Amino acid sequence: MPSHPRSAFLAASVLGAASAFAQTAPAPASSASDARTDEVVTIQEFQVNADNQRDTWFATQAMSGTRTAQPLIESPYQVQVITHEFLEDFKLLALGEQMSYFSGYQSDSNLSDAAINFTAAAATFRGFGVTIIRDGFRRTPPPQIGNIYQMEVIKGPISTLYGAAQPGGLINYVSKRPSTRPEYKLSFSAGSYGYLLGSLNASGPLYKDKVFYLLGVEHYYRRSNYQYVYSRNGDYTLTLLWKPTTRTSVSVQAQAQRLIGARAAAMPLLVAGTTRPATNPLAWTGGITVGLYWPLVRSGFSPFGPNERYHRDYDGVNVLVEHAYNETWKQRFSYQWFDKDFSLNYRTTSNLSAETLRFTNIFPRSRVQHYYAPQAFQTDLLGSVTVAGLKHTLLFTGDYSQENLRDFIIRYPAAVENALPTSIRYSDPANPDWSPLDYSRTALSRRTSETMENYELAGFSLSDRVSILQNRLLLMGNLRYDYSRQSTDSNPNAVAYVGGKDEAVTYSAGVNWRIQGDALVAFANHSTSFNTNVTADAGTGEIIPNERGAGTELGLKSLALQQRLGLSTSLFEIEKKNIGQSNPDYREGNGQAQFLGSGVERVRGVDGDVNFKVTPRFTLIGSAAYLDARVVKSSSAALTGTRKITIPRTTGSIAVRYNFIGSLKGVSTGASLRYTGSFVRANGTATRRYETSAPVQLYSAYVKYTWRRGGTSQTLAVNGNNLFDKLYVGPGLGLALGRQINFSYTLAFR
C-alpha cells in the first residue's frame, strides 16, 4: 500500500475515469424526464426510485446490496427495506423504533433522544455490532423522517462493499433528492411525554430544469420515563442540485443539528454481601452484583439528577457529483466534511448496596468530545464489458477517510471531592441530595481521563456481476483491499500515542438461481469482513486488534402472485475474531474494564421476512429471526462456551394496514406487534450473578384520515406506541418509554 493513501485514492479515481473515456465514444445519457419519479434523476443505476413499487410499504430496489440500485429479488444477499411511508404511518422517530421491524435487530430502549440509538452503542444485528451509514457515509446524525427515502439493511459480513462494516450487517439511510416539481409539506405533532414536533419540507426547481432544491426544518421536544430527562432538537437541512447537462449533476447538502437536554444514566444494579468499614458505615466495597434494582426502575429514578445537561452540535456538508461518460460507463464522486461537538455535565453513578441502599463515590464530572478535521471521499465507477459473449457488469470503488477525536473527562481536585457532603458522595436514592454543583472549567480542573484518536482509512474494490443460462443464474463476486492507520493516546497526563497500521484483503461471492423465474429463487453467499477501526477499552486503554469476520448464508426468495407476495428466508453462520466481550457492569468513569476479555464469537441462525398485498386495500409485512450466539473462545476462560450477552434468541414483528373505500374513503388504519425474546444480561462469575431479561411485546396502532382538494392534501392522525404500557429495560440498561399517544396534522400541496 502506498504511504499516502489519499494520493492513491485520487489516482485510482482519475485512472478509473480515464479508462471509462477510453471504452466507447460519448453518447447522450438518459434524461430525467424519462423517469416517472418526481425526484431529479441523473443516473438511474445510482438512485432507487418508486416507479415500480407494488405498495407504498414495499420497496423493489435497494442501494446497499451492490452500492448501485438493484432489484431485491436479484441480490444474492438478504436485503430488507423500510419505506418513507411506513415510517410516516407509525411516526417512528428514533433508530431503535425504526429498526425493531427488522428481524435479528436489538438495540437499547426507546429513549427521549432519537439520536442516542443512532450511535448504535448498544445496537446489534444478527448478534454483532451494527454499522450505520447515511448515503454511504458514517458519522452522520439521524435524518429527519421527511428527508428519508427509505431505510435499507443488508445482512451478513459485507465489508467488501463498504470497508468499515460489521459481520452482522449494515444499515443504510437513503436520503431524498430534490424534486422536479414544487412540493411543500407542513406537519405538527403533539402527545405523551410532552412530545412536540414541527417540521417543514419544501422541494422543487429554482431555475428551469437546471437548479433544484430540497429544504427540511424540524424541531422536536420529548421527555422520558426517567425523572428530569428530556431532549430538545433542531435539525436544518438544505440540498441544492445543479444539472448542467442531462448526464451530469452536482449536489451539495448542508446540515446543522442542535441537540440539548438531560440524558439519563443506566439503571442501577443491586450488589449483595457488601462490606463497610467501621470508620465510614456509608462507604461500601465488594459483594456480588445481583441484577437490576426494580424499585428504582419503577420509579424512573435518574442517578444523574435534575442538574445534568448535555448538548451535541453537528455541522456537515456532503457533495455528490454524478456523470455519465456514455451509456456504458458512469461515475459518481462523493465528499463529506463535518464538525461534531459533544459535552455532558453529570454526576458519576454506581451500583447500589443491598446492605446500605446507598450509592458510593458519587462525584461531579464533565465529559467533552470533539471530532476535528474529519473528511471522507468515495467514488464508484460503473460499467460493463462483454467477454466470450457474456456481459459483465463491473463496479470499481474507492474510499478514503480521516478523522481525529479528542475525548476527555475533567473533575474536581481530590481534596475538593473528599470534602463534598456525604449526602452527595454516598447518595440515598430514597432521599437524594440534588444540591447544584459547580461545573465550570475553573472548578473541574483535574483531567483524569483523556483519549485522542487519529484514523486514516483507505480502501479499493472491484465487483463483477454476470448472468448466464438465459439469466437464470446470476453470479456476483467482490474483492476489496483496506488499509488502516491509527494512533491512540489514553494518557491524560502526557502525550503518549500508541498505534500502528493494518491491512486486509476481503472478498465476497454470491449466486442467485432462478428455479421458477422470480417465483422461486435460491441464493447463497460467502463473505469476509475487516473492521478498519481498532477497539480501545475505554476503562483500561488496552488496544484490541482489528476485528475480522466471515460468514456463509443459504436461502430462498420469492416474488409471486403477480408480485403481490414477496418473501425471503435464509440459514447463516457468522464468526468474528478479535472481538471484545463486553463487561455488563461497566459504566463510563467507574474504573472497571469495558471488556472482560477478547476472542472469537459465532452466531448461527435463521431469519426471514415477508410482505403481502393480500387485497388492493389490505397490506401485511412481517419478519422473524432465531439466533444462537456463542462465545467460542476468550482470553477470559470463564466466558468460553457461554451465550453472548444482550443477544435475544428470537425476535419478530408483524404490521398490517387497511385502506377504506366508499363512505370511509381516505381513512387508513394499521397495527403492529414487535417481539424481543429473553436475552442474557450477564453471565455468572465470582462477582456477578447470572441474569436474564424478560421477553418484551410492544403493540402499536394508528388511524389517519386524508382528504384532498386539487393539489392540496390534509391528514389528521392519531398514533399509539407501547399501547399496553410495558415497563422494560433495554440491553444498555436504559429505561424505555411507556405508553405514547400522539396526534398529528399534515398539510401538503404541489
Side-chain angles (χ1 to χ4, degrees):
M1 175 71 193
S3 59
H4 299 287
R6 178 174 8 187
S7 302
F9 169 84
L10 295 174
S13 301
V14 173
L15 288 173
S19 66
F21 275 119
Q23 293 295 322
T24 59
S30 312
S31 116
S33 61
D34 294 336
R36 287 171 288 170
T37 178
D38 285 338
E39 287 192 345
V40 179
V41 178
T42 305
I43 300 175
Q44 293 277 6
E45 292 87 347
F46 289 144
Q47 186 172 348
V48 293
N49 64 74
D51 289 350
N52 300 315
Q53 272 190 315
R54 301 174 288 128
D55 185 278
T56 57
W57 276 15
F58 305 159
T60 57
Q61 293 181 317
M63 292 289 296
S64 302
T66 60
R67 287 177 64 144
T68 60
Q70 183 187 40
L72 299 178
I73 195 69
E74 294 181 5
S75 172
Y77 302 99
Q78 272 255 51
V79 180
Q80 283 183 258
V81 177
I82 286 181
T83 65
H84 167 79
E85 289 76 12
F86 185 88
L87 297 175
E88 284 279 14
D89 282 345
F90 283 101
K91 300 297 181 188
L92 303 176
L93 183 65
L95 175 75
E97 297 173 293
Q98 298 161 358
M99 293 304 301
S100 59
Y101 287 91
F102 288 122
S103 58
Y105 178 81
Q106 163 80 317
S107 79
D108 209 354
S109 311
N110 178 18
L111 307 170
S112 63
D113 178 1
I116 289 178
N117 284 340
F118 198 78
T119 63
T124 59
F125 205 80
R126 280 188 171 179
F128 293 103
V130 61
T131 299
I132 303 175
I133 62 176
R134 180 174 163 191
D135 299 323
F137 286 115
R138 299 183 300 159
R139 304 299 187 195
T140 57
Q144 310 163 20
I145 290 180
N147 282 340
I148 300 173
Y149 186 85
Q150 63 187 33
M151 294 173 55
E152 304 173 354
V153 166
I154 176 171
K155 303 177 181 180
I158 37 68
S159 70
T160 52
L161 294 175
Y162 294 94
Q166 294 283 358
L170 174 142
I171 301 169
N172 183 27
Y173 280 83
V174 179
S175 298
K176 285 187 174 181
R177 296 193 182 190
S179 59
T180 57
R181 56 177 175 166
E183 298 178 351
Y184 310 94
K185 186 168 75 171
L186 189 64
S187 182
F188 299 97
S189 301
S192 305
Y193 296 97
Y195 176 59
L196 294 170
L197 183 145
S199 66
L200 169 67
N201 296 91
S203 186
L206 283 177
Y207 177 71
K208 297 182 179 180
D209 60 348
K210 298 295 184 183
V211 182
F212 307 85
Y213 81 100
L214 174 64
L215 172 69
V217 178
E218 181 178 278
H219 282 258
Y220 80 79
Y221 171 87
R222 186 163 65 173
R223 295 194 298 270
S224 168
N225 240 2
Y226 283 97
Q227 300 168 346
Y228 315 118
V229 171
Y230 71 93
S231 177
R232 180 178 290 113
N233 183 65
D235 198 306
Y236 318 90
T237 303
L238 175 63
T239 302
L240 296 176
L241 188 149
W242 175 43
K243 196 168 185 183
T245 70
T246 57
R247 61 185 185 183
T248 304
S249 66
V250 179
S251 175
V252 179
Q253 181 188 81
Q255 181 176 6
Q257 186 180 82
R258 300 292 180 264
L259 194 150
I260 62 172
R263 190 173 186 173
M267 295 305 301
L269 304 173
L270 188 68
V271 182
T274 59
T275 58
R276 291 158 287 162
T279 55
N280 185 357
L282 296 179
W284 58 268
T285 58
I288 298 176
T289 303
V290 175
L292 283 166
Y293 186 57
W294 282 96
L296 291 188
V297 173
R298 296 186 185 95
S299 69
F301 179 81
S302 175
F304 281 169
N307 302 311
E308 180 259 334
R309 292 291 181 273
Y310 81 98
H311 87 266
R312 180 188 295 109
D313 292 344
Y314 175 91
D315 298 286
V317 175
N318 284 23
V319 179
L320 173 66
V321 179
E322 295 181 322
H323 180 69
Y325 300 110
N326 46 59
E327 289 291 346
T328 304
W329 291 92
K330 302 161 187 181
Q331 190 164 17
R332 64 178 173 183
F333 298 88
S334 303
Y335 169 77
Q336 180 197 51
W337 171 91
F338 71 90
D339 186 81
K340 181 179 176 181
D341 287 292
F342 171 83
S343 67
L344 172 68
N345 295 335
Y346 65 104
R347 296 189 186 190
T348 57
T349 62
S350 79
N351 292 329
L352 192 70
S353 167
E355 286 70 36
T356 66
L357 290 183
R358 296 252 185 166
F359 299 111
T360 187
N361 296 325
I362 305 301
F363 303 109
R365 296 281 193 278
S366 182
R367 181 186 178 190
V368 179
Q369 183 184 83
H370 181 215
Y371 285 92
Y372 56 97
Q375 55 185 335
F377 305 86
Q378 291 181 352
T379 187
D380 300 82
L381 175 64
L382 177 68
S384 62
V385 296
T386 300
V387 179
L390 294 178
K391 181 182 177 181
H392 293 257
T393 300
L394 303 176
L395 179 68
F396 301 88
T397 73
D399 302 87
Y400 172 83
S401 65
Q402 66 174 30
E403 63 182 47
N404 305 283
L405 169 66
R406 187 184 186 194
D407 189 338
F408 62 88
I409 295 175
I410 51 178
R411 56 193 286 188
Y412 288 166
V416 177
E417 284 187 344
N418 294 331
L420 287 171
T422 56
S423 58
I424 293 178
R425 293 169 58 199
Y426 307 102
S427 178
D428 177 4
N431 186 29
D433 181 354
W434 297 132
S435 300
L437 298 171
D438 187 355
Y439 286 97
S440 69
R441 293 292 181 90
T442 303
L444 298 168
S445 59
R446 182 164 55 122
R447 184 166 301 184
T448 56
S449 172
E450 181 171 24
T451 299
M452 300 183 70
E453 298 177 345
N454 304 311
Y455 288 99
E456 188 173 26
L457 316 172
F460 312 93
S461 73
L462 168 64
S463 65
D464 181 17
R465 283 177 284 160
V466 62
S467 296
I468 59 176
L469 302 179
Q470 297 179 328
N471 290 327
R472 292 186 60 194
L473 202 63
L474 173 66
L475 307 175
M476 177 178 172
N478 196 27
L479 187 67
R480 183 179 177 93
Y481 172 82
D482 278 292
Y483 172 85
S484 168
R485 183 163 56 195
Q486 62 82 30
S487 57
T488 301
D489 176 11
S490 57
N491 188 336
N493 303 312
V495 177
Y497 278 98
V498 177
K501 58 184 180 180
D502 202 352
E503 56 187 351
V505 174
T506 54
Y507 66 91
S508 67
V511 58
N512 261 28
W513 177 29
R514 282 189 165 99
I515 301 173
Q516 293 183 1
D518 288 347
L520 182 60
V521 178
F523 69 95
N525 65 75
H526 179 78
S527 303
T528 58
S529 68
F530 170 69
N531 188 349
T532 51
N533 289 342
V534 299
T535 302
D537 190 305
T540 65
E542 180 183 352
I543 301 297
I544 299 175
N546 298 69
E547 299 169 352
R548 285 168 164 80
T552 302
E553 181 177 29
L554 302 169
L556 296 171
K557 295 184 180 183
S558 177
L559 190 56
L561 302 180
Q562 297 179 325
Q563 296 194 345
R564 292 190 298 113
L565 174 65
L567 59 87
S568 66
T569 184
S570 66
L571 296 165
F572 61 88
E573 177 180 286
I574 305 170
E575 188 169 283
K576 186 177 182 181
K577 63 181 180 180
N578 297 337
I579 183 170
Q581 278 98 40
S582 298
N583 178 0
D585 297 335
Y586 168 76
R587 303 289 177 275
E588 192 173 277
N590 70 353
Q592 295 192 31
Q594 184 181 5
F595 302 106
L596 295 177
S598 63
V600 179
E601 297 181 353
R602 182 182 62 211
V603 178
R604 292 171 173 163
V606 56
D607 65 7
D609 64 277
V610 60
N611 51 71
F612 188 21
K613 197 169 181 65
V614 184
T615 72
R617 298 184 297 277
F618 182 56
T619 301
L620 176 150
I621 66 173
S623 67
Y626 173 84
L627 306 177
D628 180 25
R630 297 280 172 179
V631 177
V632 177
K633 181 180 179 181
S634 175
S635 57
S636 174
L639 296 178
T640 300
T642 61
R643 277 181 63 186
K644 285 192 63 175
I645 64 171
T646 74
I647 308 300
R649 279 201 172 104
T650 53
T651 58
S653 71
I654 185 170
V656 296
R657 181 191 63 195
Y658 188 83
N659 296 324
F660 290 85
I661 59 173
S663 60
L664 293 178
K665 182 179 180 181
V667 175
S668 176
T669 184
S672 72
L673 164 64
R674 288 164 287 166
Y675 175 82
T676 301
S678 175
F679 58 85
V680 176
R681 288 198 187 275
N683 285 301
T685 67
T687 59
R688 186 65 161 93
R689 189 172 297 176
Y690 180 80
E691 183 185 9
T692 61
S693 74
V696 174
Q697 305 90 24
L698 298 177
Y699 297 85
S700 302
Y702 75 89
V703 178
K704 69 176 183 179
Y705 173 59
T706 301
W707 66 100
R708 295 178 173 84
R709 178 175 296 177
T712 301
S713 69
Q714 300 180 73
T715 301
L716 286 172
V718 57
N719 296 76
N721 192 19
N722 193 1
L723 290 173
F724 294 98
D725 204 23
K726 176 73 174 181
L727 180 71
Y728 67 101
V729 175
L733 299 181
L735 176 60
L737 293 173
R739 182 187 297 112
Q740 305 145 64
I741 305 296
N742 299 321
F743 301 86
S744 62
Y745 168 76
T746 301
L747 170 65
F749 52 95
R750 56 170 51 179

